Every structure is written in structure tokens, then in C-alpha cells.
Amino acid sequence: MNKDKFLIKGLGGKKSLCGSITVGGAKNSALKLMAASVLFKDKVELRNVPEIEDIKRMSDLLIDMGIFVERRKENIYLFKSPSDCKTSLSSYISKHIRASIVLTGPVLARFGKVSFPHPGGCVIGKRPIDLFVIGFQKMGASVKIKNDKYIIETQKGKLIGASIFLKNQSVTATETFMMAGVLARGETVIKNASVEPEIENLANFLVVGGAKIKGIGTATLTIKGGDLLLSKGKFHTVMPDRIEAGSFLILGALTARELEVKKCNPKHLESLIELLNYCGVKMAIGKNSIRVFGGSPKRHLKPIDIKTHEYPGFPTDLQAPMTVFLTQASGESMVFETIFEGRLNYFESLVKMGADIKMMDPHRIIVRGPSCLRGKILDSPDLRAGLAFVIASIISKGDSTICNVYNIDRGYENIEKRLRGIGVDIVRVIQ
Ligand code: EPZ
């Protein structure tokens, strides 16, 4: 895992960025589609797969299990699961990527057993997996913990369809049980399911392969169990990354003369567009692009209270970039992070840069603006806070150094090259 750094020259409040930036495939979709390949009898081809560290981690995990993975060419990957493979997920890899947990559903459903450590990934809260343990037990599996590993086995080799009410909506739990239900005996009903666009996209991908799923896009999913799926040579294109698109919109609103965010789906960004509109940001919404205008440096951005929420509410993954935006608004805003209890700690680094932010409790901060941020040496604690530090460094006066860039590479493909394309002065220092 690289120790690279970014050196960024701040614009010091100037609105000079311009041109267009293209959004890549969604990390939180591609990872699940890769896991779903275990449910297929034949080869699965995915296109528009982002070339990011997490995709490399998931590929390593699949290869370690004995699954065929081929990077056909940039952004195009092939996957083929053998009729028998290793069902113990590598601890070293799984502890670096939360999405490893979604593999448990397809592997258990197809091979009747799976063992894995508590998944890792962004340190943004406790991130328990009780929903997974309860759900698999409801589907007739036994769950044991030995040497820090969960060992889950079906009775008689097959999961049994069950009704699973998720005590709180969970993206990966919904995806995992939807995939497990595809090969289970009988019907699985997931209630209080998450409705993020990545889940709808995964469900449609499974249905094209032959799965029987009802209620797609709603909080109640019904999956009728059946045989292995078949892609019949059809490829699937990974949807645009709405979190990346949203981050570019926020960057453009703060720094651009005019910026076009291309290859995105504005429908998936309605909550953010609504908030930016309210704050006074001018945008032109296209079918799969958005133009954002930074306006005059003297323009006042209105403050606004943010409350993160499950989709279609305001995404927790855009909370950190939006907090940077609010440091430039004229007045007081509250940021209420409802999903994760440890996802606000990055605010101290913004205060170091000159922001006026106070923590009320682990879920709430008060942001007062506008503040003049100054370049600093920053350590990117996780993926989204890391990208927020890049935005903060770009709007700052002076130079910034961002360390631990690996965390940003986990979710953004060639970010420095794409940012240079719109006028950002950013270089990577390879360590
Ligand atoms: C997914 O994480 C995303 N990760 C996260 O994106 C995203 O922040 C999150 O959904 C919410 O949108 C991937 O898709 C790989 P949850 P996930 O289960 O599924 C609690 C990024 O930056 N919970 O929906 O792990 C949990 O603690 C990442 O790309 C339980 O209590 O999130 C949280 O409070 C970060 N028990 C809430 O549910 C469980 O068994 C929602 O989390 C599981 C979750």
C-alpha cells in the first residue's frame, strides 16, 4: 500500500478552474458486481470498472479463492467462478476492505460454507456485522467464531429462503441477502431493505442473469431461489459513481469559472443539487452531465443544515466534501451525521487550516463561515475525508501536502491527472 503524497498549490479563493471532468464507474457498485460473479455458471464481463485500489483488493481476494479474474484492458474485467473453490476469505485482504463482506452471501449460497474475519475498510465507526449473522441464521445456517474468524455453514448444503427484517437499513446487508436468496431453497423476503441506486443496479444485473427478484427499488425485496445464473456472453457496464460526481460538483461550486461534470446521472444527485441550489450555486442539469458555475468571488453562499440519511436522502459519503463547502458559506450551518458515529473526526484538520468548526457531539458539528483556509500538511484518514482535504487544499491560500494518499486511491481513479485537466496544480510524490 503506497505511502505517496499529493502536493497542492491553493487557488486562494480564485475561481479559475474550467473545462470538463469525466466521472468513472461506481466503486460501491463494481465491488458488488464482482462478488455476484460467484452466482454465475459462465463468464461475467464488466465494463467501466474503475481502476482503483479497492478493485485490486477485491480482485486479489477472488484470485486467492481460486476464481478466474482477467483485466482484459483498461476498465474491462472478466470473472469466472469454478464449480469448487476456497471458501475461506483471506484475512489479510478482507481486513482492508469492507466490501469483502458481500462475498459471504454468494459463496455461502453456492458452496454451502464460508469463513471470514470481521471486515475492515474506512474507520468511520464501529461497523458491526450483527445483521449478517442474524440473517444467515434465519436462512438456516450455523454461525461459529473461531480464531477471530466467522465460520458459517448451511445445513445440508443449501440456504433456506427466509423473511429477514433489517433492524436498520444496511447497504451491504441488503446486497448480501439479495445475492444469497438467488440460490437459496424457496423464497427470501428482505424487509426495510436499502434502496441505494447501486442495489437496484445489482438486482437488475442478477435478473438479466436469470434471477427472480420482485420489489426492485423498494424497501421490500422478494427473491425466489433457483439455479446458477448465466450471462450468456452479455457484458454489464458499471453505473457512474454518484459520490465522485457529487464531489466534483462541490469542487466546481467553490473554484470554477465553469465546470462540466460529464458521464454522471443527475437523478442520483437530487439531494445534493437541491442543497447547492438553496445555497445559491448556479447549475445547468443535462441528461448525463451537469454544468456548475462558481460565480463571482464576492458571491455569498447561504449556510444550510445538513443531515445525512439513507438514499434518497443526503449521502453520508458526501458529508465531508460538503462540510468543506460550508466553511465558505456566510453564516452558521450544522452537519448532523446520522449513519456513522465516527465520521466527523477529520474536522480537526480543517480547523488546523483555519476553518471555524465546533463538535457538539460525535454526530454533530457546527460550521461557521466564510473562513479563509491556509495550506497545511494533512493526513488522509479515509477515502471521503481524504477527497475533502484535496478540495480544502485547492481553495486554500498557500501550499498543502496530503499524506496517506493510498486512502484516496482506494476510491478515485488517477484523481491528480483528472484534476490537473481542469486547472488544479497538484502533483503526486511517489514514496
Ligand atoms: C456502504 O457501507 C458503503 N460501502 C459505504 O461507503 C456507505 O457509507 C454506506 O453503505 C452507507 O451508505 C460499500 O458499499 C462498500 P451500512 P455499509 O451497512 O454497507 C449499521 C465509502 O466511502 N450496521 O449501510 O457497510 C452501520 O454501523 C463507504 O465508499 C449495523 O448496525 O454501511 C451503520 O450505522 C464508506 N449492523 C448503518 O448500519 C450491521 O450488521 C448503515 O451502514 C451492518 C450495519
Side-chain angles (χ1 to χ4, degrees), residues 27-28 31-32 98-99 101 122 124 126-133 167-173 175 194 196 242-243 310 316-317 338-341 343 382-384:
K27 165 182 88 80
N28 289 343
L31 294 168
K32 317 326 175 20
R98 174 79 185 187
I101 192 84
C122 295
I124 52 179
K126 295 198 203 74
R127 307 192 81 176
I129 62 163
D130 54 324
L131 293 175
F132 297 83
V133 172
K167 72 172 168 37
N168 58 274
Q169 286 184 308
S170 159
V171 171
T172 44
E175 293 162 332
S194 294
E196 270 66 7
R242 61 194 167 96
I243 304 300
E310 293 82 0
T316 170
D317 297 346
T338 66
I339 309 284
F340 294 106
E341 68 285 350
R343 199 166 207 181
D382 63 68
L383 174 58
R384 309 305 177 183

Side-chain angles (χ1 to χ4, degrees), residues 114-375:
V114 67
S115 60
F116 58 97
H118 193 97
C122 295
V123 184
I124 52 179
K126 295 198 203 74
R127 307 192 81 176
I129 62 163
D130 54 324
L131 293 175
F132 297 83
V133 172
I134 296 164
F136 285 134
Q137 287 169 329
K138 284 208 170 132
M139 295 184 85
S142 65
V143 179
K144 287 197 255 3
I145 301 180
K146 198 164 163 234
N147 308 333
D148 263 356
K149 271 204 155 181
Y150 292 84
I151 300 164
I152 308 189
E153 287 189 61
T154 59
Q155 316 300 331
K156 308 192 191 85
K158 241 320 260 139
L159 283 173
I160 315 297
S163 173
I164 301 170
F165 187 98
L166 298 176
K167 72 172 168 37
N168 58 274
Q169 286 184 308
S170 159
V171 171
T172 44
T174 301
E175 293 162 332
T176 302
F177 292 120
M178 182 167 69
M179 291 195 275
V182 167
L183 298 182
R185 189 172 296 131
E187 197 171 79
T188 299
V189 183
I190 308 170
K191 295 178 181 165
N192 198 28
S194 294
V195 293
E196 270 66 7
E198 294 78 14
I199 296 171
E200 198 171 331
N201 190 280
L202 175 63
N204 291 329
F205 168 68
L206 297 172
V207 166
V208 170
K212 301 176 199 66
I213 306 177
K214 289 203 198 100
I216 296 176
T218 77
T220 303
L221 290 167
T222 305
I223 306 103
K224 197 159 179 324
D227 301 328
L228 287 173
L229 307 180
L230 285 169
S231 72
K232 299 181 185 144
K234 279 185 240 109
F235 65 83
H236 182 87
T237 302
V238 177
M239 61 190 278
D241 194 313
R242 61 194 167 96
I243 304 300
E244 186 174 89
S247 307
F248 292 156
L249 263 188
I250 290 168
L251 174 66
L254 292 171
T255 61
R257 267 204 312 278
E258 179 181 342
L259 179 68
E260 184 186 18
V261 179
K262 289 192 344 186
K263 285 201 179 167
C264 64
N265 183 341
K267 285 205 191 70
H268 295 163
L269 291 159
E270 280 182 304
S271 61
L272 174 65
I273 292 169
E274 189 63 25
L275 296 177
L276 292 177
N277 260 329
Y278 175 88
C279 297
V281 176
K282 297 277 171 289
M283 291 167 280
I285 314 293
K287 190 162 173 308
N288 48 34
S289 69
I290 302 174
R291 272 178 199 286
V292 56
F293 307 88
S296 88
K298 295 195 184 55
R299 176 207 55 192
H300 287 292
L301 293 169
K302 277 201 278 186
I304 189 167
D305 292 346
I306 304 282
K307 185 177 179 182
T308 64
H309 197 280
E310 293 82 0
Y311 191 85
F314 185 78
T316 170
D317 297 346
L318 281 176
Q319 174 259 99
M322 196 60 191
T323 297
V324 173
F325 175 89
L326 295 171
T327 64
Q328 303 308 302
S330 306
E332 186 176 289
S333 311
M334 178 166 75
V335 175
F336 183 5
E337 172 52 63
T338 66
I339 309 284
F340 294 106
E341 68 285 350
R343 199 166 207 181
L344 290 169
N345 301 333
Y346 66 87
F347 87 95
E348 281 155 355
S349 298
L350 296 181
V351 170
K352 213 172 76 180
M353 298 178 89
D356 178 352
I357 306 177
K358 302 251 175 334
M359 179 171 261
M360 312 307 289
D361 60 50
H363 287 279
R364 266 168 282 248
I365 52 175
I366 298 288
V367 184
R368 288 192 187 81
S371 307
C372 172
L373 302 186
R374 298 192 179 289

